[in-house]
C-alpha cells in the first residue's frame, strides 16, 4: 500500500511525507534491534572466549602448581611467574585467530578487499590478543594469591 501511495499523483505531499517518515522509522527500529542483538552476541562470545582461555590457562597452572609454589618461595616476582602463562594465553589466542582466518578464506565473502573488512580484521586481531593476555593474567594472579599448599 505504501509504494502505491508514494506513486499516486493525487496523494498530497503531506501524506507522502507521512508514509515516508513511517517507513523510515520502521527501518530504523529494525536496525536498532539488529544492533542490540549483535551487541549481545559480541558480549556472549567475548565472555565465552575469556572463559575458554582462562580454563586452558587454569589447566596449565594446575599441572605446574608446584613450580609456581617453588618460584614464590624463592622470591620470584609476580611478573616472572605470570609471564609464561600470559604468553601461553596469547599463543592460544593467535591459534584461534589463525583458525578464524582459515575459515574466512574458505567462505565466499564479497567484501574481502574492502577497507572496512581489513579494519575489522585488525580490530579482531588486537581484541583477540588482548583478551588472551588479560584473561591469562587474571587467572594466573588468582592462582598466585592462593595459599601455598
Amino acid at each position: 500500500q505504501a509504494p502505491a501511495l508514494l506513486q499516486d499523483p493525487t496523494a498530497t505531499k503531506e501524506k507522502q511525507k507521512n508514509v515516508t517518515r513511517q517507513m523510515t522509522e520502521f527501518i530504523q527500529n529494525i536496525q536498532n534491534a539488529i544492533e542490540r542483538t549483535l551487541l549481545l552476541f559480541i558480549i556472549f562470545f567475548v565472555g565465552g572466549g575469556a572463559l575458554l582461555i582462562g580454563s586452558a590457562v587454569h589447566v596449565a597452572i594446575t599441572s605446574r602448581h608446584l613450580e609456581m609454589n617453588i618460584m614464590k618461595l624463592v622470591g620470584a616476582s609476580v611478573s616472572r611467574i605470570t609471564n609464561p602463562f600470559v604468553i601461553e594465553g596469547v599463543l592460544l589466542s593467535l591459534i584461534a585467530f589463525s583458525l578464524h582466518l582459515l575459515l574466512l578464506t574458505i567462505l565466499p565473502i564479497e567484501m574481502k578487499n574492502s577497507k572496512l573488512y581489513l579494519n575489522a580484521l585488525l580490530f579482531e586481531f588486537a581484541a583477540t590478543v588482548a583478551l588472551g593476555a588479560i584473561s591469562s593474567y587474571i587467572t594466573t594472579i588468582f592462582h598466585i594469591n592462593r595459599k601455598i599448599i
Side-chain angles (χ1 to χ4, degrees), residues 61 64-82 85 139-149:
I61 290 171
R64 295 187 276 179
H65 76 280
L66 289 176
E67 289 176 41
M68 287 180 65
N69 289 337
I70 291 170
M71 290 174 75
K72 286 195 298 189
L73 287 171
V74 296
S77 66
V78 172
S79 65
R80 183 94 169 155
I81 298 171
T82 59
F85 299 104
T139 304
T140 307
I141 291 296
F142 173 76
H143 285 283
I144 287 175
N145 291 333
R146 290 175 52 197
K147 282 179 126 182
I148 298 175
I149 298 172

Side-chain angles (χ1 to χ4, degrees), residues 23-104:
M23 290 173 58
T24 304
E25 287 176 4
F26 179 72
I27 292 170
Q28 286 176 341
N29 289 338
I30 291 173
Q31 181 182 359
N32 291 338
I34 290 170
E35 287 174 359
R36 285 190 300 268
T37 304
L38 286 176
L39 182 63
L40 287 175
F41 274 115
I42 289 169
I43 291 169
F44 175 75
F45 285 118
V46 166
L51 288 174
L52 283 172
I53 292 170
S55 295
V57 171
H58 173 74
V59 168
I61 290 171
T62 303
S63 68
R64 295 187 276 179
H65 76 280
L66 289 176
E67 289 176 41
M68 287 180 65
N69 289 337
I70 291 170
M71 290 174 75
K72 286 195 298 189
L73 287 171
V74 296
S77 66
V78 172
S79 65
R80 183 94 169 155
I81 298 171
T82 59
N83 283 346
F85 299 104
V86 171
I87 291 170
E88 187 172 328
V90 169
L91 289 175
L92 286 171
S93 299
L94 291 174
I95 291 169
F97 187 76
S98 299
L99 291 173
H100 170 252
L101 284 179
L102 181 66
L103 183 65
L104 283 180

